[in-house]
Amino acid sequence: MIAKVITDVSLDREFEYVVPPELEKVLRCGSAVVVPFGRSRREGYVLSLGQRAEFREDKLKAVSGLSPVRASIPEKLVELGRWMAEYYCCPLEHAIRTLLPAAVRNGKVRPLVRRIYSLADRAEAEKFVASHLADRRAEGRCALLRALLSGGDASSEELKRLPGFGDSALKTLLRHGLLVFREEMCRRDVFGDVEVIPDSPLEPTPDQANALAGIDRMLEHRSGVMLLHGVTNSGKTEVYLQAIASALARGRSAIVLVPEISLTPQTVRRFRARFGDDLSVLHSRLSDGERFDEWMRIASGKVKIAVGARSALFAPFSDLGLIVVDEEHESTYKQSESPRYHARDVAVMRGKMENACVILGSATPSAESMHNVSLGKFLLAEMRSQVGARPAPRFTVVDRRIGEPGGENGIFSPELVENVRRRLAGGAQAILFLSRRGYARTLRCPQCGYEACCPDCDVNYVYSKRRETLSCHLCGAVVPAPEICPQCKSPEIRYLGSGTEKIESVARALFPDARIARMDSDSMRGANDYEAVLDRFRRGEIDLLVGTQMIAKGLHFPNVTLVGILNADQNLSMPDFRASERAFQLITQVAGRAGRGDRPGEVVLQTFSPENDVIRYAAEGDFAGFSRFDLEFREMMKFPPFSRMIAVFFKGEDDAAVEAAARTFSAELAPYIRAGVTVAGPLRAPIERIRGKYRYLLTLRGDRLGTVRRALRVLALHRTFPGNVEISVDVDPLDFM
Ligand code: ADP
Ligand code: ZN
Ligand code: ZN
């Protein structure tokens, strides 16, 4: 038998090895093995097994054995890894690497073992205690024995808490054979000590019942994808919970993907309340040890449900019945490094391969998913109203071109100021949203026209007043802010454009009595900052929360009755065919924070273009109208989902070398380009330089990109260009900058 093995260093190439007879029954696809490689040995994974070798068999080396440290990859996931490598044009090794958490793969983490002590011989122990009653030197030993005699077994932690405990006493007792111990594997506690009150399924609303009936049919047929389109608060999560229960009742397991930012204790609590602690929660703050334990528990079938961010998609269940992708439209499901996969799309593929069904949930589904519904590939279930028939938030669209602007630079319209004052006076809370952080976007000198930009990237620096710095949002460089123009020494430098930091400081001046906090990636640096601010907001210790996207995601604050959107145009002006979609999603999502309690919510939306279609649809809460409008535009322009796209980025420090590589690459690809495929570029990328590297972009668009993708993959992975030019292929790209 021949095994094809990928090693850690082989990138896109598998190597053949002979399987020795003693391993023939043991090896399977996904087995972690050790193989001879050059003069050394390497860890690797078996990706396929077969009878015939491509090379002469007597020249092949033999597999040395199973890896003593690594876990194997479940067989079905190997197939998914292969598909990802092909489809996303990444090295096979990158895709295989994605299937296992590093903590499991590297084999450095061990299971946590706890020692449990008991008594070897009761009578002997009792005799010892009785005969040492008056012996002060044996006090510790007697205390230990007495505790075990009265309480039975005890772990080392429990023993350590005894008064008078000493390591030497323990050792002496072990040496004299009065104590024995055994070792037990235990789980590192990922939930902390937080108690959760169990709950039970709610009586479904008619919309929920309809969705659940569809899901039951899918579970019965072991296939199908449902798009669950429901406004915020319409009870989608309750549907997920009951769908999971349904899958479990059929003896199958479930994966729930949520965007990392919504993986809050609130979310986790709801799952634990329904399913207890037999649940794995996989988030980025887990330690290696915790991640290892959770993976092992899933692989061994001890838990049936995994909830987590993107990578939880690869949870090693062997009997997967259901995958839920919550907020399926979220761009965080797309990984920005190789493999550049989209977790929603890979979820659909994993579902297909493992006969599991898939639920994609969203209040604002992606154009791709809506299109799949119209093609009949996805089933649609809709939930149109909020549970408890709460009204949708009321929108007031404020035209910023008219009226006397309030606050510095006119960031606050009089309507917004007045509305915030009224809410705060009434004891309610408000949220102010702006999608940009920092204080000002640009530092400019009116005398000589100087603009402060990052020397390594093709962007302006962002100014932070509080820190007195300029920073680059692309490479993270931070420099002190100048007090005079560095070019002409004029003291008149100006700051233009506003970010959340500016909003916060203007708000402090406008509403001096309000307790104000800001939430963006500048102010939320520590791991617990986010939760801490949310807790204070929830407890009513903050009146006004200013923030970016970070405040838009699935938070539940019943006392928030007003949401201010300071500049709705910001997202519309991006040079990207998804700009409308993103703006609509964002406005809808932020608006959803208003009025979740029993008080009605209001949204004040400031814009320079109140007649804009996207803003009108968003203000009317008309998703169907927006979706039709957006899909019509994309169909006319032949943008995805009416075509497929691939972006190829070329990067390097030598501008000319990068350009030359991009041109050569395009020329070599040209013979594979069929009719119906449109090529744009290579051109300088919209952001010409990041971290000192020049960037060029080639895009391909067409109905069928399979042929060109295969050629492109080979070129990108196996062809090298002079000048250290890096090539990255992005299939179904979300970012063209
Ligand atoms: P979504 O995920 O769509 O935002 P949730 O599932 O969180 O909605 O539901 C919103 C609120 O309504 C929650 O407090 C939930 O407990 C409640 N809820 C959901 N379904 C029902 C139901 N069938 N009956 C009563 N309350 C429900
Ligand atoms: Zn100047
Ligand atoms: Zn930079």
Side-chain angles (χ1 to χ4, degrees):
M1 192 152 60
I2 304 294
K4 285 194 176 177
V5 174
I6 190 136
T7 69
D8 292 2
V9 292
S10 44
L11 281 177
D12 202 40
R13 186 147 167 227
E14 297 162 79
F15 291 89
E16 294 190 316
Y17 292 89
V18 173
V19 179
E22 70 273 18
L23 286 179
E24 285 204 356
K25 288 232 157 55
V26 190
L27 286 196
R28 55 163 184 79
C29 273
S31 292
V33 290
V34 178
V35 291
F37 195 83
R39 292 183 175 190
S40 60
R41 279 163 193 267
R42 295 272 177 191
E43 302 268 343
Y45 293 97
V46 175
L47 295 190
S48 60
L49 288 163
Q51 292 308 328
R52 287 186 42 218
E54 281 165 28
F55 297 99
R56 275 186 48 202
E57 228 165 282
D58 54 348
K59 292 230 166 128
L60 296 180
K61 292 179 181 167
V63 175
S64 313
L66 284 173
S67 163
V69 285
R70 287 194 182 179
S72 296
I73 301 170
E75 192 158 353
K76 285 175 182 163
L77 281 180
V78 173
E79 199 189 334
L80 190 67
R82 259 190 202 288
W83 175 80
M84 285 205 296
E86 288 303 322
Y87 184 77
Y88 290 106
C89 297
C90 74
L92 189 52
E93 203 274 336
H94 287 188
I96 297 296
R97 187 175 283 264
T98 311
L99 303 176
L100 287 182
V104 175
R105 181 184 164 97
N106 65 24
K108 285 189 189 134
V109 183
R110 308 269 98 212
L112 188 64
V113 176
R114 180 181 283 160
R115 282 189 172 185
I116 309 286
Y117 293 90
S118 44
L119 279 169
D121 182 332
R122 258 194 107 79
E124 280 294 315
E126 276 164 3
K127 224 163 75 192
F128 181 91
V129 174
S131 63
H132 289 78
L133 275 179
D135 186 349
R136 295 216 22 232
R137 283 166 309 162
E139 221 166 26
R141 275 172 280 167
C142 288
L144 277 179
L145 289 177
R146 254 187 247 115
L148 289 172
L149 282 169
S150 61
D153 297 358
S155 67
S156 25
E157 287 83 11
E158 287 163 330
L159 289 181
K160 271 189 196 126
R161 272 186 239 124
L162 290 178
F165 170 85
D167 262 337
S168 61
L170 189 63
K171 281 193 190 126
T172 315
L173 288 174
L174 281 172
R175 201 170 51 235
H176 291 307
L178 283 161
L179 277 189
V180 288
F181 70 83
R182 61 176 192 279
E183 295 193 324
E184 272 180 13
M185 287 232 272
C186 56
R187 178 191 197 183
R188 292 166 182 91
D189 185 10
V190 284
F191 294 125
D193 291 332
V194 186
E195 286 288 327
V196 171
I197 303 160
D199 73 359
S200 42
L202 301 165
E203 181 64 32
T205 62
D207 279 350
Q208 286 174 328
N210 172 52
L212 286 165
I215 294 163
D216 266 328
R217 279 194 297 276
M218 297 199 305
L219 284 168
E220 196 59 49
H221 290 116
R222 295 175 155 256
S223 75
V225 181
M226 172 183 282
L227 176 63
L228 182 61
H229 172 211
V231 296
T232 310
N233 231 7
S234 61
K236 294 187 294 296
T237 309
E238 183 62 32
V239 171
Y240 304 154
L241 293 169
Q242 298 197 21
I244 294 166
S246 216
L248 296 192
R250 290 163 200 266
R252 308 185 71 190
S253 36
I255 295 175
V256 183
L257 299 186
V258 295
E260 177 79 38
I261 197 157
S262 21
L263 200 53
T264 59
Q266 271 182 356
T267 313
V268 174
R269 229 171 282 142
R270 279 184 83 177
F271 282 87
R272 287 180 65 199
R274 194 65 57 86
F275 299 110
D277 289 350
D278 283 340
L279 174 76
S280 267
V281 178
L282 307 165
H283 54 73
S284 60
R285 298 178 305 281
L286 289 186
S287 69
D288 277 358
E290 289 166 345
R291 200 175 295 277
F292 176 89
D293 284 3
E294 294 309 308
W295 196 91
M296 288 300 176
R297 283 163 57 81
I298 296 169
S300 63
K302 286 201 185 102
V303 291
K304 293 293 215 177
I305 308 167
V307 182
R310 196 168 55 212
S311 62
L313 175 55
F314 306 109
F317 291 114
S318 54
D319 50 0
L320 192 61
L322 175 69
I323 309 176
V324 175
V325 184
D326 188 28
E327 312 277 355
E328 64 90 27
H329 63 277
E330 271 290 329
S331 57
T332 51
Y333 282 126
K334 173 89 172 167
Q335 177 152 292
S336 53
E337 307 97 52
S338 172
R340 294 179 179 77
Y341 69 93
H342 197 301
R344 174 197 59 218
D345 301 342
V346 181
V348 170
M349 188 44 96
R350 183 169 184 192
K352 200 186 260 178
M353 286 178 170
E354 298 189 25
N355 297 323
C357 54
V358 180
I359 305 174
L360 310 177
S362 175
T364 51
S366 62
E368 284 77 4
S369 294
M370 290 304 286
H371 187 54
N372 278 327
V373 168
S374 65
L375 292 178
K377 290 187 182 169
F378 294 178
L379 206 74
L380 177 68
E382 287 185 302
M383 306 208 291
R384 291 170 192 276
S385 52
Q386 302 199 35
V387 175
R390 247 171 258 146
R394 255 196 333 265
F395 269 79
T396 306
V397 176
V398 177
D399 188 345
R400 283 182 69 198
R401 293 168 304 190
I402 50 178
E404 193 57 32
E408 199 184 328
N409 287 8
I411 314 170
F412 285 76
S413 61
E415 287 93 333
L416 182 57
V417 174
E418 150 57 26
N419 215 320
V420 171
R421 287 218 171 104
R422 204 174 52 216
R423 302 284 163 162
L424 297 184
Q429 292 170 300
I431 284 176
L432 298 178
F433 172 83
L434 189 75
S435 53
R436 284 176 178 164
R437 59 203 168 97
Y439 189 87
R441 299 303 298 179
T442 313
L443 178 152
R444 182 185 291 156
C445 170
Q447 295 297 328
C448 70
Y450 167 84
E451 276 191 20
C453 5
C454 175
D456 293 325
C457 309
D458 168 38
V459 286
N460 281 347
Y461 271 139
V462 172
Y463 171 60
S464 167
K465 185 172 184 175
R466 200 177 55 77
R467 284 200 290 266
E468 283 298 325
T469 57
L470 295 174
S471 65
C472 171
H473 282 186
L474 289 178
C475 71
V478 181
V479 295
E483 283 167 18
I484 54 168
C485 171
Q487 199 163 280
C488 74
K489 311 285 182 255
S490 156
E492 276 188 56
I493 40 176
R494 298 248 167 88
Y495 296 103
L496 310 169
S498 318
T500 40
E501 193 186 328
K502 171 91 150 267
I503 302 298
E504 183 193 9
S505 86
V506 176
R508 283 187 196 285
L510 286 169
F511 318 109
D513 298 330
R515 293 162 299 174
I516 300 177
R518 172 164 58 97
M519 184 176 265
D520 57 32
S521 50
D522 289 329
S523 63
M524 302 289 110
R525 302 224 147 180
N528 301 319
D529 290 356
Y530 179 72
E531 281 305 319
V533 171
L534 291 185
D535 275 341
R536 278 169 54 216
F537 195 49
R538 202 171 292 130
R539 284 199 300 266
E541 294 165 22
I542 295 170
D543 304 311
L544 197 55
L545 188 61
V546 178
T548 54
Q549 268 80 337
M550 225 178 238
I551 57 172
K553 316 284 163 165
L555 308 171
H556 304 246
F557 303 114
N559 199 33
V560 173
T561 60
L562 174 70
V563 166
I565 300 177
L566 283 114
N567 185 354
D569 309 318
Q570 248 167 15
N571 305 290
L572 282 171
S573 57
M574 298 292 280
D576 185 326
F577 70 90
R578 288 194 177 87
S580 302
E581 180 178 50
R582 291 205 185 110
F584 184 90
Q585 288 167 350
L586 204 56
I587 294 171
T588 308
Q589 216 166 51
V590 184
R593 303 307 118 221
R596 295 183 64 109
D598 40 19
R599 306 196 227 178
E602 182 163 354
V603 180
V604 174
L605 181 150
Q606 305 188 149
T607 173
F608 285 103
S609 44
E611 71 292 344
N612 179 291
D613 290 309
V614 177
I615 289 186
R616 278 194 341 195
Y617 285 123
E620 282 158 19
D622 184 3
F623 175 79
F626 168 74
S627 176
R628 232 176 294 123
F629 160 82
D630 192 37
L631 286 172
E632 266 168 28
F633 158 75
R634 295 198 197 193
E635 184 165 22
M636 188 174 72
M637 303 298 288
K638 286 238 175 303
F639 280 127
F642 297 92
S643 64
R644 301 250 158 188
M645 264 178 127
I646 300 178
V648 190
F649 283 94
F650 303 85
K651 290 175 263 188
E653 285 175 9
D654 178 350
D655 194 9
V658 185
E659 189 180 6
R663 291 197 185 290
T664 313
F665 187 98
S666 306
E668 289 179 16
L669 192 63
Y672 301 94
I673 298 198
R674 301 279 164 86
V677 177
T678 314
V679 183
L683 292 166
R684 280 191 193 279
I687 301 174
E688 294 181 12
R689 210 157 60 109
I690 299 182
R691 291 173 201 270
K693 288 187 177 158
Y694 292 89
R695 307 166 77 246
Y696 285 79
L697 170 62
L698 172 74
T699 50
L700 304 168
R701 182 150 43 116
D703 291 340
R704 298 219 169 129
L705 294 181
T707 312
V708 68
R709 193 182 63 230
R710 280 184 285 277
L712 185 90
R713 184 177 187 282
V714 174
L715 265 180
L717 299 184
H718 300 286
R719 171 92 161 79
T720 53
F721 294 92
N724 270 337
V725 178
E726 298 160 42
I727 298 174
S728 54
V729 181
D730 194 348
V731 177
D732 304 332
L734 294 182
D735 182 358
F736 302 92
M737 299 301 280

